[in-house]
Amino acid sequence: MTRPWLLPLVGPVARLVTNAYYRVTIAGPEPSAVDPLLLVANHPNMLFDPALVATASPRPVRFLAKAPLFRIPIVGSLLRWAGCLPVYRPKDDPSLTAQNQATFAAVTEALRQGATVAIFPEGTSHDEPALVPLKTGAARLALGATARGVRLAVVPVGLVMADRDRARSEALVVLGPPIEWDDLRGASADTPAAVRELTERITSALASVTINLDEWADEPLVTTAEAIYAAARELPADPADRVRRLWRAAQWLRALRKTGDPRYPPLAAAVGAHGRRLAQLGLTPADLNEPTDFESAIRWTGRRLPLI
């Protein structure tokens, strides 16, 4: 097996690259720096997602990556030197899927030694506005490792990007609390009910640290509604809390649309128009809470004179 001599450099290089391209904010409870970890993350941006996960991890991360990448000259060598392990997907080559047993054994051994391993259980990168149905690989890895005496924590990692293709845009990495699955630890990775149940819990945990819209057209409405709510209550600017509020706003929007509430269309139109007007003026809902008396106006103008 190739020695992963590049593994200690993955985190520092990832932080350098991601912070150069995005404005990265990491939020949520820091994962254990001692226990073996299985990080499960959504996959909205193929190129940067592993780097963002590595940036947020307190320890070097070994990634599971699709097997065809390992056959690319130079790329394959770099992946092996960085400690990555191949996953053989049926859609790539059904005849090779039996080799996943060796990969699962290597992952279990790495976890036994206290490693941090990351997997993207959606199975592919995508630009959908919500999570796509998760594959069962993460659940089977966790159950299989536990059956072999490895007690690990499964931690959801939400990657939320304002505009994934625009340089210097905002990228949030939201770490959730470890998933509760003690009641499943005695089950085998070959037990369909346990695999299904743990996959559902991973799905719920990942949904709680991402936004999950019905369609991208809802994004301006949801972000404006959240900003109005936060400004009206003068809530602190905590990124993890903001993602949770955005998630709730998306859920409320979905519920209103589903029930056909007659108040929804005019309310959505009003919030959308409000957001567009603020954007045209370069303002946010929080700006509307600023004092407007004469003395405050003079101070505001004075602070901006040097810019003019």
Side-chain angles (χ1 to χ4, degrees):
M1 182 177 292
T2 304
R3 178 173 172 269
W5 60 272
L6 275 180
L7 183 57
L9 299 177
V10 170
V13 171
R15 293 181 191 96
L16 181 66
V17 171
T18 55
N19 283 287
Y21 192 80
Y22 291 118
R23 291 182 289 111
V24 181
T25 301
I26 300 170
E30 184 172 302
S32 168
V34 179
D35 298 328
L37 297 177
L38 181 63
L39 305 180
V40 289
N42 60 315
H43 209 355
N45 189 344
M46 179 173 63
L47 292 177
F48 277 98
D49 293 346
L52 287 167
V53 172
T55 296
S57 173
R59 291 179 290 170
V61 183
R62 300 188 66 171
F63 288 91
L64 292 171
K66 59 184 181 182
L69 293 176
F70 290 80
R71 296 196 290 268
I72 301 174
I74 300 178
V75 172
S77 296
L78 288 172
L79 290 174
R80 292 185 184 90
W81 292 337
C84 297
L85 297 162
V87 173
Y88 300 89
R89 304 181 303 178
K91 70 177 185 179
D92 295 326
D93 189 341
S95 67
L96 298 178
T97 55
Q99 297 186 40
N100 281 325
Q101 294 301 320
T103 296
F104 284 11
V107 171
T108 299
E109 183 56 32
L111 290 167
R112 189 189 308 279
Q113 297 175 15
T116 296
V117 176
I119 185 171
F120 298 98
E122 290 173 291
T124 186
S125 178
H126 63 90
D127 59 359
E128 296 298 321
L131 293 170
V132 301
L134 270 54
K135 310 297 184 186
T136 60
R140 288 188 289 115
L141 274 175
L143 291 167
T146 300
R148 289 166 176 79
V150 181
R151 190 169 183 84
L152 70 151
V154 182
V155 176
V157 183
L159 306 179
V160 181
M161 302 178 194
D163 187 345
R164 66 178 190 171
D165 298 323
R166 181 167 58 86
R168 307 311 301 159
S169 59
E170 183 182 20
L172 298 178
V173 185
V174 184
L175 300 164
I179 296 169
E180 295 289 343
W181 62 293
D182 283 350
D183 57 316
L184 301 175
R185 289 183 188 271
S188 163
D190 297 322
T191 305
V195 171
R196 185 168 54 252
E197 175 62 26
L198 184 51
T199 300
E200 289 175 359
R201 294 187 194 183
I202 293 172
T203 299
S204 297
L206 267 180
S208 72
V209 291
T210 51
I211 299 175
N212 298 293
L213 303 167
D214 285 341
E215 53 189 61
W216 281 119
D218 291 340
E219 191 268 341
L221 184 60
V222 168
T223 54
T224 300
E226 184 279 328
I228 293 171
Y229 179 88
R233 286 160 177 76
E234 299 182 350
L235 298 176
D238 179 87
D241 285 342
R242 178 170 177 259
V243 169
R244 283 189 282 270
R245 290 194 299 270
L246 288 167
W247 179 84
R248 284 196 294 269
Q251 296 299 305
W252 293 333
L253 173 60
R254 184 175 297 116
L256 286 170
R257 183 181 286 151
K258 184 177 180 179
T259 58
D261 192 314
R263 296 170 296 179
Y264 164 69
L267 177 61
V271 172
H274 181 64
R276 288 190 295 273
R277 292 192 195 100
L278 289 178
Q280 290 167 357
L281 295 169
L283 299 173
T284 68
D287 293 327
L288 302 183
N289 289 340
E290 293 295 323
T292 56
D293 58 276
F294 181 76
E295 183 179 345
S296 298
I298 291 297
R299 285 200 301 269
W300 185 92
T301 304
R303 287 197 299 268
R304 285 156 179 77
L305 283 176
L307 297 178
I308 296 174

